[in-house]
């Protein structure tokens, strides 16, 4: 240990896994369930929005969202998320984790409901309303990233901390799965109630008026799980590490954790005040001292998350186009509007069930056994391999007989994203920075990731377009095609492997050990010997 630790923090570090750990996982995890549902469900309904609001009389293909509208609808929540991660990450270190946690959840609930409403029924009015509320939905979701990770890391014991933080993040998998299942149920119900011909048989009748309710119901459902956990989130006490190390209130920290752990804990206010006065415990984010101690760590967490999200989000956002290209989803003109939503949702649900969800839970199981570094490096490596395996013989995969092989390899890239950097990039920033900057640094790392998601979401909408005008979506310029897009993504993943070497291993270490809290500017730590009255400086 870097120094004699507060009793309340030591009690948390060595606590056996108990009921409150699982309660915290569920409470924090339901935020992530909602986050994933809200961010990914938009890709299920963009084709439907195009059919409803951008239908052109006499066109050979169903209406699609114009490129600028599609980019805005898909990407605006990411812009909100990026802003929310930076703002709420900073606010979580200033006001406390608990206070800010409630704000983000209420914002998510209100914006989820509002994104299914419209001011007017004209295409511009509907899209503008949708984009406006999805920005604020993203803003609330953004706050959930640094706060959920920080709260879970500060509640957990050091032996299983990685698994607990990863379990919160793993709820994303269930959120994606739920998005697909809700879309299947809603579209199937409306399809049964309102039968319609295929587009090629009767273009106008293929999109029934009731289809306008389908996308609204799918988007609004995201408010439900978040609303259900609001009460429990407000009952959670502030984390002891924030109360003791940042707010400097040892008595409150000991009282809160005594109730949680059901053991008697000494307050140790004098020790808190002494630690606060020690050199090396007061440097800010923009100081030379932070740069010396954590500059490379922050560079590592931001770059790996940025590179991972370019690949991860571009895959999710154009996977419906990949499914079309290999024949899982028939040509749009051979289906009616609700049939298309049903088939896209079914394909995404199958991918989530077979690869996305298992990948997350493999990380939960192995992260405290083989470590964060090994999982992240392995994940990036296999993502690179499988991307190139899809890209180089791409023509081979488009033949009807080889479609199942394509889907298996495509699923494996998702599996190793989630049993790999998608989980570890979330876990590590919550463990390696000082308590007073932990939420801020996690927010910066996560915002860097969302910048990558924006590159993926906006860039690959254009990049994945075919050079052949007949295979291109209406209104899009020629892109580099799916094959070349996959090659670019393979290179991005390879770069992720390189930057992983900047990220330290935090397996089995306390948060204070990782953040080096108590180390002075000369690189020594102040350490009180048991039974001694004086403090002596020990070189590190």
């Amino acid at each position: 240990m870097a120094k004699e630790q507060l009793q309340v923090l030591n009690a948390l570090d060595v606590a056996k896994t108990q009921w409150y750990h699982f309660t915290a996982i569920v409470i924090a995890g339901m935020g992530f369930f909602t986050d994933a549902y809200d961010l990914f469900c938009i890709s299920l309904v963009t084709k439907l929005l195009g059919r409803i609001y951008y239908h052109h009389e006499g066109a050979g293909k169903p209406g699609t969202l114009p490129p600028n509208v599609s980019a805005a609808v898909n990407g605006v929540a990411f812009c909100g998320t990026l802003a929310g991660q930076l703002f709420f990450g900073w606010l979580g270190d200033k006001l406390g984790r608990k206070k800010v946690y409630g704000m983000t959840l209420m914002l998510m609930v209100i914006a989820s409901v509002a994104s299914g409403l419209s001011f007017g029924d004209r295409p511009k009015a509907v899209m503008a309303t949708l984009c406006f509320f999805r920005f604020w939905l993203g803003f609330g979701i953004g706050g959930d990233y640094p706060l959920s990770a920080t709260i879970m890391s500060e509640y957990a014991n050091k032996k299983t901390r990685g698994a607990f933080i990863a379990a919160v993040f793993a709820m994303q998998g269930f959120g994606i799965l739920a998005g697909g299942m809700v879309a299947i149920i809603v579209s199937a119900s409306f399809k049964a109630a309102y039968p319609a011909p295929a587009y090629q048989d009767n273009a106008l009748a293929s999109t029934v008026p009731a289809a306008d309710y389908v996308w609204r119901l799918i988007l609004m459902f995201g408010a439900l799980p978040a609303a259900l956990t609001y009460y429990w989130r407000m009952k959670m006490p502030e984390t002891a590490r924030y109360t003791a190390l940042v707010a400097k209130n040892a008595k409150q920290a000991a009282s809160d954790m005594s109730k949680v752990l059901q053991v008697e804990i000494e307050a140790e206010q004098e020790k808190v005040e002494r630690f606060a006065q020690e050199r090396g415990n007061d440097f800010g984010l923009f100081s030379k001292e932070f740069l010396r101690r954590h500059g490379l760590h922050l560079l590592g967490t931001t770059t790996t998350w940025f590179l991972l999200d370019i690949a991860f989000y571009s895959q999710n956002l154009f996977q419906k186009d990949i499914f079309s290209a290999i024949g899982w989803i028939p040509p749009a003109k051979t289906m009616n509007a609700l049939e298309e939503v049903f088939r896209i949702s079914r394909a995404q649900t199958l991918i989530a069930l077979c690869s996305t969800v298992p990948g997350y839970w493999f990380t939960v199981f192995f992260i405290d056994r083989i470590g964060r570094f090994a999982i992240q490096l392995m994940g990036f490596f296999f993502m690179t391999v499988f991307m190139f395996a899809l890209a180089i013989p791409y023509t081979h995969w488009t033949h009807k007989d080889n479609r199942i092989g394509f889907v298996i390899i495509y699923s494996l890239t998702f599996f190793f994203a989630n049993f790999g950097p998608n989980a570890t990039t979330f876990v590590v920033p919550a463990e390696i920075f000082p308590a007073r900057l932990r939420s801020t640094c996690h927010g910066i790392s996560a915002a860097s990731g969302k910048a990558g998601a924006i590159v993926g979401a906006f860039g690959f909408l254009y990049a994945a377009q075919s050079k052949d005008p007949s295979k291109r979506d209406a209104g899009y310029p020629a892109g580099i095609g799916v094959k070349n897009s996959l090659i670019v993504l393979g290179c991005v993943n390879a770069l992720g492997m390189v930057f992983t070497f900047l990220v330290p291993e935090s397996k089995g270490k306390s948060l204070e050990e990782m953040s080096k809290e108590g180390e002075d500017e000369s690189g020594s730590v102040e350490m009180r010997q048991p039974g001694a009255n004086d403090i002596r400086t020990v070189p590190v």
Side-chain angles (χ1 to χ4, degrees):
M1 288 298 298
K3 62 181 180 184
E4 184 192 1
Q5 199 178 28
L6 288 171
Q7 193 183 110
V8 65
L9 304 187
N10 190 55
L12 282 167
D13 275 344
V14 299
K16 289 181 179 177
T17 301
Q18 49 194 284
W19 183 246
Y20 86 89
H21 285 123
F22 295 107
T23 308
I25 288 169
V26 172
I27 294 167
M30 284 313 287
F32 263 86
F33 177 95
T34 308
D35 296 351
Y37 181 96
D38 288 330
L39 286 178
F40 290 112
C41 70
I42 193 69
S43 67
L44 304 177
V45 298
T46 48
K47 298 272 192 189
L48 178 61
L49 290 169
R51 283 185 184 244
I52 296 170
Y53 294 106
Y54 293 91
H55 170 71
H56 297 294
E57 198 65 49
K61 289 181 180 180
T64 57
L65 296 180
N68 58 336
V69 175
S70 184
V73 167
N74 279 306
V76 71
F78 295 141
C79 298
T81 305
L82 190 155
Q85 286 162 336
L86 293 171
F87 177 71
F88 287 117
W90 168 79
L91 205 61
D93 282 333
K94 293 295 174 192
L95 300 183
R97 316 335 182 185
K98 183 187 172 180
K99 282 181 186 174
V100 183
Y101 215 25
M103 295 181 209
T104 63
L105 200 67
M106 282 315 298
L107 189 54
M108 283 159 60
V109 171
I110 293 164
S112 277
V113 173
S115 62
L117 308 174
S118 302
F119 298 134
D121 59 358
R122 309 303 303 157
K124 276 190 178 178
V126 174
M127 294 304 141
T129 310
L130 179 61
C131 288
F132 176 79
F133 286 117
R134 279 191 67 79
F135 176 86
W136 290 107
L137 173 63
F139 194 68
I141 287 171
D144 227 45
Y145 274 73
L147 292 165
S148 290
T150 302
I151 284 171
M152 200 64 242
S153 74
E154 292 182 345
Y155 262 112
N157 60 51
K158 63 183 179 182
K159 187 180 176 185
T160 55
R161 185 180 60 237
F164 289 153
I165 306 171
V168 169
F169 194 65
M171 293 299 282
Q172 265 201 345
F174 291 121
I176 295 168
L177 194 60
M181 290 172 73
V182 168
I184 286 171
I185 293 164
V186 173
S187 60
S189 304
F190 275 77
K191 192 156 65 96
Y194 303 96
Y199 182 88
Q200 62 190 7
D201 298 331
N202 187 332
L204 202 58
S206 70
T207 307
V208 295
D212 198 42
Y213 291 110
V214 171
W215 69 268
R216 296 175 192 276
L217 287 170
I218 292 168
L219 295 187
M220 291 168 85
F221 183 83
L224 193 63
L228 291 174
T229 53
Y230 182 77
Y231 170 75
W232 298 106
R233 200 174 265 205
M234 289 298 91
K235 278 191 74 177
M236 282 180 85
E238 180 58 86
T239 72
R241 284 183 161 89
Y242 182 85
T243 309
L245 299 176
V246 184
K248 310 287 191 289
N249 188 341
K251 188 177 179 183
Q252 186 63 50
S255 169
D256 288 344
M257 291 308 108
S258 292
K259 291 173 191 170
V260 168
L261 297 169
Q262 296 178 328
V263 292
E264 197 63 41
I265 298 173
E266 191 185 336
E268 302 181 300
Q269 184 64 36
E270 287 180 12
K271 196 185 282 186
V272 166
E273 287 168 3
R274 190 177 77 242
F275 286 169
Q277 290 163 8
E278 288 176 2
R279 290 180 300 162
N281 277 345
D282 56 357
F283 60 85
L285 182 66
F286 300 105
S287 65
K288 285 182 180 176
E289 187 62 18
F290 179 86
L291 187 65
R292 182 181 74 80
R293 295 193 196 185
H294 300 293
L296 283 177
H297 297 162
L298 190 59
L299 179 65
T301 58
T302 51
T303 50
T304 51
W305 207 335
F306 175 78
L307 294 164
L308 176 273
D309 272 9
I310 290 176
F312 188 77
Y313 280 87
S314 61
Q315 285 183 81
N316 273 292
L317 289 164
F318 70 82
Q319 73 177 13
K320 59 183 182 293
D321 300 308
I322 289 177
F323 290 138
S324 299
I326 62 159
W328 256 33
I329 298 169
K333 65 183 180 181
T334 64
M335 298 180 283
N336 63 43
L338 295 175
E339 175 73 16
E340 188 173 38
V341 175
F342 177 81
R343 285 179 177 263
I344 290 169
S345 305
R346 187 177 64 180
Q348 179 157 315
T349 305
L350 284 169
I351 286 289
L353 202 57
C354 298
S355 65
T356 308
V357 173
Y360 283 115
W361 291 99
F362 263 72
T363 303
V364 172
F365 186 76
F366 285 108
I367 193 165
D368 288 312
R369 289 171 169 81
I370 62 176
R372 290 77 163 140
F373 178 82
I375 288 176
Q376 186 161 310
L377 199 64
M378 175 197 68
F380 270 129
F381 173 76
F382 281 112
M383 284 174 74
T384 307
V385 169
F386 289 127
M387 283 288 189
F388 286 134
L390 287 176
I392 295 164
Y394 183 69
T395 311
H396 166 81
W397 296 120
T398 57
H399 297 150
K400 198 169 185 178
D401 296 343
N402 305 323
R403 285 172 185 167
I404 298 301
F406 180 95
V407 173
I408 290 169
I409 295 180
Y410 183 72
S411 297
L412 283 169
T413 63
F414 264 92
F415 175 80
F416 281 106
N418 294 312
F419 180 34
N422 194 36
T424 53
T425 52
F426 176 79
V427 172
V428 174
E431 299 182 307
I432 63 176
F433 299 107
R436 67 187 177 284
L437 299 171
R438 187 170 291 134
S439 178
T440 304
C441 290
H442 195 285
I444 292 168
S445 303
S448 176
K450 276 299 164 287
I454 291 166
V455 171
F458 283 83
F460 283 94
L461 273 171
Y462 292 86
Q465 296 299 320
S466 174
K467 292 175 184 176
D468 180 353
S470 64
K471 295 179 181 177
R472 211 180 296 155
D473 288 340
Y476 283 87
I480 58 174
V482 175
K483 175 177 178 170
N484 290 332
S485 296
L486 289 167
I487 290 172
V488 171
L489 292 175
C491 295
V492 165
N493 292 327
L495 208 54
M497 285 174 64
V498 175
F499 281 101
T500 295
F501 286 93
L502 296 178
V503 181
E505 178 58 74
S506 48
K507 177 169 75 86
K509 296 178 181 176
S510 77
L511 296 178
E512 288 67 44
E513 204 175 343
M514 285 307 302
S515 63
K516 296 185 172 64
E517 283 171 276
E519 184 180 309
D520 68 21
E521 291 177 24
S522 67
S524 302
V525 296
E526 290 189 314
M527 187 173 179
R528 183 179 291 275
Q529 297 299 311
N533 293 322
D534 61 324
I535 296 172
R536 66 188 183 88
T537 301
V538 182
V540 177

